């Protein structure tokens, strides 16, 4: 028989298989070792967590046991809580809440932590009218109020983890709740709440008694107050735009953290901190100013389609100092609407929480818009009130509008003569300017007369942009097809989203854009004709042609997601302006009469004003200097 030959390929194959098997055994061994180490870590973590859970359960168990004879349990609590172990042995040391309630607000205060765990506003529906869900500023652990205490034996205890003893009493219509964290029968930290009838403001005192042995009073108690603000309106992006933290200094000046992904301010001598969420606000006030505070704001809306529950996260940290070994702070809580008129009544400068603008814009809103609109809305529907409010404002400003149109008409009559001067002195701009000024002086025309009235109207226009979005009176009040004048009036839901514009069509915004188009169309020609041609300057006629189409588009994009009350105001405002313009042009402005008056003015001897004289002298000096330079 033929002898089998040495097969090299087989040997190589066996060697590779052996190598693979050995590598797999080695890998499995390493994996097993890793799994054992990971398992050991997990078991250790579980034991630690279990120990914490057992300890917590023991505290609760002992708290529910009215007998304090179990020395071992008490000693174990003392090892964790020090002298505050006494509070954990009381019958009330268990989960539970005490409710304070009037016709406006319902407030729940938790035994654990002694802080407010739920606040519901009874007069306001969430999202839309009759939604079946009330506005809740605090619920489901979205808020945290805690004092961090350093004990005399160098422990750090947080009041949010400890049990307070509640005592509810009534004095007349006032409900008084005392929450005491006890370290002994007569030694305690107390939160005292007082809720009055028909009031959103809650008295809140923080004081201690006999804690000098239990607490290191040379160190301040750090106050920590956090709140994740719930979405309460139809548009979360619109609501979030007006959600911010506001604070006030001891001297009465206010400031805010502003908008942004993450903002922080570190003020000193603070008398209140407000977490404003568009049309509602939560405020912590103190009669003894906080020496310093760290106030942070985090934007929680990254994508309006996905982030639909919360708007912002607010955090405040401030030290509360001990005075003669005790805490004694007289504070207040405010949970309610961000209503300018209501907040003003408290005489604590809380009206500054409502952003009505600075300088002249704020004065217009506070002295004109707020009282006028408040008066009108007190006896008529909000939609009709906006229309009548707009009519009054526009009629009051009609003399200014008339002066602006009259100035444009005069400039339009003078335009041919100004053009002639431009051609005559084309090579001498300074001379052309001098002759143009002489023409204005002789004709009795002020080239700035058309600009000044327009400038006067700008503050009123900007004030309206601040007033309507901050008016809580408009919330869930309907008019025509709009069911909520504080939000957009969607008449058509689009199956897609248009960047900057949105996924719906707001009819009031669309009508306001059409109105401003016709207004621009009617006035652009007069404005372009009124502007004398200036060498080196852009062609106003071309600019106005672009603005005719650009302005309505910008308004449509901008107002589509804004409150329909503001869009209604702008619609009526533009319609009234168009009507006033037609009346003025038809009955008050006659180009032939204006031309005759200008010619008559030219014939009269004209005395120069100080300003005109100064301008003429400056031009003459410049002309003389120019002539001297040419000679050199």
């Amino acid at each position: 028989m033929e002898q089998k030959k040495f097969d090299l390929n087989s040997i190589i194959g066996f060697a590779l298989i052996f190598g693979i098997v050995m590598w797999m055994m080695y890998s499995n061994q390493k994996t097993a070792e890793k799994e054992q180490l990971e398992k050991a870590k997990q078991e250790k973590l579980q034991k630690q967590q279990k120990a914490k859970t057992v300890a917590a359960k023991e505290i609760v168990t002992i708290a529910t046991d009215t007998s304090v004879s179990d020395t071992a349990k008490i000693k174990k609590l003392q090892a964790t809580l020090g002298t505050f172990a006494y509070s954990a042995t009381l019958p009330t040391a268990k989960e539970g809440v005490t409710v304070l309630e009037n016709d406006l607000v319902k407030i729940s205060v938790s035994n654990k932590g002694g802080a407010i765990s739920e606040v519901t506003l009874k007069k306001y529906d969430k999202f839309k009218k009759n939604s079946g869900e009330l506005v809740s500023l605090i619920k489901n652990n979205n808020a945290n109020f805690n004092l961090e205490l350093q004990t005399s034996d160098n422990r750090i205890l947080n009041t949010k983890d400890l049990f307070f003893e509640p005592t509810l009493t009534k004095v007349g219509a006032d409900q008084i709740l005392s929450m005491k964290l006890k370290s002994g029968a007569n030694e305690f930290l107390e939160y005292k709440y007082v809720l009055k009838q028909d009031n959103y403001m809650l008295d809140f005192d923080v004081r201690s008694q006999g804690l000098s042995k239990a607490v290191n009073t040379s160190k301040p108690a750090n106050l920590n107050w956090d709140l994740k603000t719930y979405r309460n309106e139809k548009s979360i992006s619109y609501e979030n735009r007006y959600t911010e933290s506001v604070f006030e200094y001891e001297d009465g000046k206010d400031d805010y953290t502003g908008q942004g992904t993450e903002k922080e301010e570190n003020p000193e001598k603070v008398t209140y901190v407000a977490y404003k969420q568009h049309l509602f606000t939560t405020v912590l006030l103190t009669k003894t100013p906080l020496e310093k505070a760290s106030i942070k704001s985090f934007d929680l809306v990254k994508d309006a389609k996905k982030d639909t529950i919360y708007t912002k996260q607010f955090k405040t940290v401030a030290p509360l100092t001990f005075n003669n070994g005790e805490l004694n702070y007289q504070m207040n809580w405010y949970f309610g609407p961000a209503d300018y008129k209501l907040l003003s009544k408290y005489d604590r400068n809380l009206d500054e929480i409502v952003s009505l603008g600075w300088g002249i814009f704020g004065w217009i809103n506070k002295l004109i818009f707020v009282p006028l609109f408040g008066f009108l809305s007190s006896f008529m529907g909000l939609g009709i009130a906006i229309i009548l409010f707009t009519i009054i404002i526009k009629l009051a400003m009609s003399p200014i509008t008339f002066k602006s149109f009259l100035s444009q008409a005069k400039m339009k009559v003078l335009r041919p003569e100004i053009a002639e001067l431009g051609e005559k002195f084309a090579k001498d701009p300074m001379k052309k300017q001098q002759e143009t000024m002489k023409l204005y002086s002789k004709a009795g025309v002020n080239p700035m007369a058309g600009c000044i009235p327009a400038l006067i109207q700008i503050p009123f226009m900007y004030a309206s942009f601040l007033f309507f979005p901050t008016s809580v009176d408009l919330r869930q009040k309907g008019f025509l097809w709009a069911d909520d004048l504080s939000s957009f009036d969607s008449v058509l839901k689009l199956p897609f989203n248009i960047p900057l514009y949105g996924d719906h069509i707001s009819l009031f915004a669309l009508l306001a854009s059409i109105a401003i188009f016709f207004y621009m169309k009617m006035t652009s020609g007069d404005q372009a004709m009124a502007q004398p041609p200036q060498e080196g300057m852009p062609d106003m006629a071309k600019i106005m042609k672009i603005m005719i189409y650009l302005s309505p588009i910008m308004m449509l994009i901008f107002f589509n997601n804004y409150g329909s009350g503001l869009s209604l105001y702008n619609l009526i405002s533009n319609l009234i302006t168009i009507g006033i313009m037609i009346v003025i042009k038809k009955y008050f402005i006659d180009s032939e009469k204006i031309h005759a008056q200008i010619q008559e003015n030219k014939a009269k001897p004209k005395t120069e004003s100080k300003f005109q004289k100064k301008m003429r002298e400056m031009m003459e000096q410049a002309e003389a200097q120019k002539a001297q330079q040419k000679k050199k």
Side-chain angles (χ1 to χ4, degrees):
M1 294 178 66
E2 186 177 357
Q3 190 176 358
K4 291 184 179 180
K5 295 183 179 180
F6 179 74
D7 190 349
L8 182 61
N9 291 334
S10 297
I11 294 175
I12 293 171
F14 281 120
L16 289 173
I17 292 171
F18 178 76
I20 291 170
V21 171
M22 292 300 293
W23 178 79
M24 290 176 64
M25 291 174 65
Y26 177 77
S27 298
N28 288 336
Q29 185 179 359
K30 287 290 183 181
T31 302
E33 290 175 359
K34 287 182 179 179
E35 288 179 351
Q36 288 178 356
L37 287 172
E38 187 66 29
K39 186 177 180 181
K41 287 181 181 179
Q42 290 293 333
E43 288 177 352
K44 187 177 180 181
L45 288 172
Q46 288 175 0
K47 286 179 180 179
Q48 291 175 348
Q49 187 64 37
K50 187 176 180 181
K52 290 181 180 179
T53 304
V54 169
K57 286 182 178 178
E58 285 179 356
I59 291 173
V60 175
T61 302
I62 297 172
T64 56
D65 186 1
T66 57
S67 172
V68 294
S69 60
D70 195 330
T71 308
K73 289 181 179 180
I74 294 175
K75 285 184 176 179
K76 193 168 186 179
L77 283 171
Q78 288 176 339
T80 307
L81 305 178
T83 58
F84 286 105
Y86 180 87
S87 65
T89 65
L90 300 174
T92 54
K94 57 185 177 182
E95 297 288 350
V97 297
T98 305
V99 176
L100 302 174
E101 187 173 7
N102 59 23
D103 292 337
L104 303 176
V105 63
K106 180 181 179 182
I107 299 171
S108 298
V109 182
S110 176
N111 288 358
K112 189 172 184 181
I116 295 171
S117 58
E118 187 171 337
V119 174
T120 301
L121 303 183
K122 299 167 70 173
K123 300 292 185 180
Y124 294 93
D125 295 319
K126 190 172 184 177
F127 299 135
K128 61 181 181 179
K129 193 173 183 179
N130 300 322
S131 64
E133 185 178 2
L134 296 174
V135 169
S136 292
L137 301 181
I138 299 177
K139 68 175 182 178
N140 299 334
N141 300 315
N142 72 314
N144 170 49
F145 182 86
N146 174 61
L147 289 187
E148 187 181 88
L149 303 172
Q150 183 169 331
T151 64
S152 53
D153 54 354
N154 292 323
R155 306 171 193 270
I156 299 296
L157 296 180
N158 292 291
T159 57
K160 66 178 181 179
D161 300 324
L162 305 176
F163 287 103
F164 286 64
E165 181 183 52
T167 303
L168 180 63
T169 58
K170 287 188 177 182
V171 178
D174 296 350
Q175 301 167 55
I176 303 171
L177 174 62
S178 171
M179 302 293 293
K180 291 181 179 178
L181 171 62
K182 292 187 172 181
S183 64
N186 297 306
E187 296 83 35
F188 53 82
L189 170 69
E190 181 186 32
Y191 296 163
K192 184 179 179 182
Y193 302 88
V194 181
L195 180 63
K196 298 179 175 63
Q197 193 173 12
D198 296 326
N199 208 321
Y200 289 104
M201 185 76 79
L202 189 71
D203 292 345
F204 175 58
D205 294 343
V206 177
R207 74 179 189 95
S208 65
Q209 178 177 301
L211 291 186
S212 56
K213 292 181 180 179
V215 177
N216 183 358
T217 56
S218 65
K219 300 288 185 181
N222 286 324
L223 181 153
N224 294 269
W225 176 35
D226 306 341
L227 180 68
K228 288 171 69 175
T229 52
Y230 278 108
R231 170 195 179 185
N232 289 306
E233 309 303 330
K234 186 161 59 175
S235 171
I236 190 169
S237 57
Y238 186 56
E239 181 180 1
N240 196 36
R241 189 180 304 159
Y242 294 95
T243 299
E244 60 187 358
S245 59
V246 183
F247 53 91
E248 184 195 49
Y249 295 98
E250 187 179 19
D251 60 5
K253 294 181 180 178
D254 63 281
D255 205 346
Y256 55 93
T257 54
Q259 300 292 326
T261 304
E262 182 176 341
K263 293 288 184 178
E264 180 177 1
E265 294 290 336
N266 296 282
E268 297 180 353
K269 300 290 185 181
V270 177
T271 56
Y272 73 67
V273 178
Y275 297 158
K276 183 172 78 74
Q277 47 193 109
H278 193 192
L279 299 176
F280 301 98
T281 187
T282 302
V283 191
L284 176 62
L285 306 95
T286 174
K287 291 182 179 179
T288 303
L290 304 174
E291 289 298 323
K292 57 182 179 179
S294 170
I295 305 172
K296 296 181 180 180
S297 170
F298 304 90
D299 193 349
L300 303 179
V301 182
K302 310 300 180 186
D303 185 342
K305 295 292 184 183
K306 298 178 181 177
D307 305 322
T308 59
I309 299 176
Y310 302 103
T311 52
K312 282 187 172 65
Q313 167 95 50
F314 296 116
K315 293 178 178 289
T316 295
V317 178
L320 302 184
T321 55
F322 287 85
N323 187 13
N324 295 324
E326 302 292 357
L327 284 176
N328 190 10
Y329 280 80
Q330 291 181 314
M331 297 182 168
N332 295 90
W333 286 108
Y334 176 87
F335 302 100
D339 184 342
Y340 178 83
K341 300 186 294 298
L342 176 61
L343 293 173
S344 298
K345 292 179 181 178
Y346 288 107
D347 197 25
R348 300 283 294 272
N349 211 29
L350 292 177
D351 52 295
E352 295 297 332
I353 294 171
V354 182
S355 181
L356 293 176
W358 53 271
I360 189 172
F361 311 115
W363 289 114
I364 290 172
N365 273 323
K366 293 173 184 178
L367 299 179
I368 301 175
F369 282 15
V370 170
L372 177 59
F373 188 74
F375 170 72
L376 294 174
S377 60
S378 65
F379 60 88
M380 63 178 65
L382 271 295
I384 301 298
I386 291 175
I387 294 173
L388 187 55
F389 171 83
T390 312
I391 293 172
I392 293 172
I393 295 295
K394 296 305 291 185
L395 289 179
M397 299 184 70
S398 58
I400 298 174
T401 306
F402 174 75
K403 287 184 178 181
S404 179
F405 288 151
L406 181 62
S407 177
Q408 289 179 16
K410 288 180 178 180
M411 293 294 292
K412 185 178 179 180
V413 170
L414 283 178
R415 183 179 172 89
E417 295 182 53
I418 295 172
E420 288 179 9
L421 291 175
E423 293 176 2
K424 184 176 180 180
F425 301 104
K427 296 181 179 180
D428 192 347
M430 185 64 72
K431 186 67 175 175
K432 183 184 77 172
Q433 190 68 22
Q434 286 179 328
E435 294 299 320
T436 302
M437 292 299 293
K438 286 181 182 178
L439 176 61
Y440 288 151
S441 180
K442 288 181 180 179
V445 175
N446 183 356
M448 297 300 294
C451 300
I452 294 173
L455 291 174
I456 293 174
Q457 295 183 66
I458 288 175
F460 285 84
M461 180 183 69
Y462 185 70
S464 70
F465 280 84
L466 297 169
F467 172 71
F468 284 101
T470 58
S471 178
V472 72
D473 291 336
L474 299 178
R475 188 176 188 271
Q476 295 178 3
K477 299 298 192 301
F479 180 65
L480 298 179
W481 56 84
D483 57 1
D484 187 349
L485 289 168
S486 71
S487 186
F488 58 81
D489 55 311
S490 177
V491 295
L492 181 63
K493 183 76 173 178
L494 301 175
F496 49 83
N497 183 69
I498 302 174
L500 300 178
Y501 181 76
D503 60 357
H504 64 273
I505 294 177
S506 297
L507 186 53
F508 275 132
L510 180 61
L511 294 175
S513 301
I514 294 171
I516 199 173
F517 170 78
F518 284 106
Y519 168 74
M520 295 288 292
K521 191 80 172 174
M522 294 174 70
T523 59
S524 60
D526 290 341
Q527 290 174 352
M529 289 294 292
Q531 295 294 327
Q534 298 288 336
E535 186 177 350
M537 297 295 288
D539 189 341
M540 287 302 299
K542 290 182 179 179
I543 292 176
M544 293 309 299
K545 283 182 181 179
I546 295 172
M547 291 303 296
I548 288 173
Y549 299 97
L550 184 61
S551 295
I553 292 173
M554 290 176 63
M555 174 168 277
L556 184 61
I557 293 173
F558 184 74
F559 282 98
N560 193 62
N561 292 294
Y562 258 67
S564 53
L566 180 59
S567 298
L568 174 60
Y569 171 82
N570 280 278
L571 168 62
I572 302 302
S573 178
N574 287 322
L575 291 176
I576 294 172
T577 304
I578 290 172
I580 291 174
M581 183 181 65
I582 292 172
V583 171
I584 290 174
K585 281 187 173 183
K586 187 172 182 180
Y587 298 103
F588 295 95
I589 293 180
D590 188 329
S591 297
E592 293 182 0
K593 287 183 179 180
I594 291 173
H595 184 268
Q597 184 64 49
I598 288 175
Q599 299 307 317
E600 185 179 334
N601 290 341
K602 286 182 183 180
K604 294 178 181 178
K606 194 75 175 177
T607 57
E608 288 182 315
S609 66
K610 290 183 179 180
F611 175 75
Q612 289 173 330
K613 184 179 179 182
K614 189 67 177 177
M615 288 293 295
R616 178 178 57 77
E617 289 174 352
M618 289 173 62
M619 289 182 179
E620 288 175 353
Q621 286 178 359
E623 190 69 25
Q625 289 176 0
K626 186 177 179 182
Q628 287 179 359
Q629 288 176 355
K630 284 184 178 180
K631 289 178 180 179
K632 293 178 180 179

